[in-house]
Amino acid sequence: MTAAPDERIRIVVVDDHDVVRRGLLTVLGGEPDLEVVGAAEGGMRALDLIARLDERAQRPDVVVMDLEMAPVDGIETTRQIRSRYDDVEVVALTSFGEEERVRAALEAGASGYLLKDADVDEVAAAVRAAHRGELQLDPAVARLLMSSLRGISRDDVSSALTPRELEVLALVGTGRANKEIAAELSISERTARTHVSNILRKLGLASRTQAALWAVREGLVEVDDGE
């Protein structure tokens, strides 16, 4: 689903390659529910831009972030954005798909991770998903993370987690944000967040993305292959 015309998602594009930056501005700006409010060619300029936009009550909803930049890379920029503006989501867009870099981006607070060969629809979908508080990963990236989830069996999880935590884990697996989990289970958002933190700690996972991938892999949630 797309946002209503008067509820367009505000986007900032950050990439140090002029051609890529211009391309993203063109394709994302052409989507009826998306509005590009600024672009920056580096991490520090991105932070300055977001601060200026915030002063004008135009804080972006989502930042599309290149990771390979200098002197401040996209991972550190993502970390700083998320620490300063916890309601601004970040979608990482990069040419690289190494597991270590993927993990670092997600742990810094990225809500999505796409490779630069993703098509326009995939990038727009990732922006919309991030705005909804959901995770969007390139299929190759998802497989990479899935293959790294070793040594955690369903029986181990069932014995380690409480019934409520298992409910929360199943909802995390469907891509639900903490706010949605709270509404679904009639608990506070703070309680939902605490449950997610406990799940990660008990299972030794680094991010809720890993928890979601584990839930899917083990059949804790059903995946609809169709549209």
Side-chain angles (χ1 to χ4, degrees), residues 1-226:
M1 290 182 63
T2 58
D6 59 344
E7 298 177 345
R8 290 194 296 174
I9 302 169
R10 293 187 299 275
I11 303 168
V12 162
V13 173
V14 184
D15 198 296
D16 61 356
H17 290 88
D18 185 62
V19 172
V20 175
R21 192 169 62 253
R22 288 175 182 270
L24 287 170
L25 291 174
T26 299
V27 298
L28 293 175
E31 294 290 313
D33 60 325
L34 307 181
E35 177 186 7
V36 179
V37 295
E41 62 183 30
M44 294 308 299
R45 292 191 178 186
L47 293 168
D48 290 342
L49 171 62
I50 294 171
R52 292 197 305 272
L53 290 169
D54 187 43
E55 290 175 356
R56 302 200 298 262
Q58 290 184 309
R59 182 189 297 189
D61 300 302
V62 180
V63 177
V64 178
M65 176 75 67
D66 180 28
L67 296 186
E68 288 293 315
M69 300 184 296
V72 181
D73 68 8
I75 292 173
E76 177 58 28
T77 306
T78 296
R79 185 176 294 111
Q80 292 195 37
I81 289 173
R82 294 291 294 156
S83 68
R84 299 181 191 186
Y85 314 99
D86 61 4
D87 60 337
V88 177
E89 304 295 343
V90 177
V91 173
L93 190 63
T94 182
S95 302
F96 302 93
E98 295 95 336
E99 181 181 338
E100 183 178 350
R101 181 163 294 276
V102 174
R103 288 179 184 274
L106 295 174
E107 289 169 12
S111 299
Y113 195 111
L114 296 178
L115 301 181
K116 284 189 175 178
D117 60 2
D119 61 30
V120 176
D121 290 341
E122 289 176 306
V123 178
V127 168
R128 295 181 185 114
H131 184 53
R132 294 192 300 267
E134 300 171 2
L135 295 162
Q136 183 96 359
L137 296 177
D138 181 279
V141 171
R143 287 193 296 272
L144 183 70
L145 288 178
M146 190 82 79
S147 66
S148 72
L149 298 177
R150 307 183 188 91
I152 309 173
S153 72
R154 187 165 183 170
D155 288 341
D156 290 338
V157 170
S158 297
S159 61
L161 302 184
T162 67
R164 176 62 91 189
E165 287 168 347
L166 286 171
E167 289 181 300
V168 171
L169 177 57
L171 291 172
V172 169
T174 65
R176 306 286 183 88
N178 289 338
K179 188 173 184 178
E180 295 172 305
I181 292 173
E184 180 80 17
L185 299 180
S186 299
I187 58 178
S188 70
E189 189 172 350
R190 180 186 294 273
T191 299
R193 186 164 55 247
T194 298
H195 282 315
V196 172
S197 296
N198 288 340
I199 289 167
L200 298 181
R201 176 178 53 78
K202 288 181 178 181
L203 301 185
L205 300 176
S207 69
R208 78 187 284 134
T209 303
Q210 286 189 324
L213 290 169
W214 185 93
V216 171
R217 187 191 70 179
E218 294 299 319
L220 201 61
V221 295
E222 293 183 5
V223 177
D224 184 3
D225 293 327

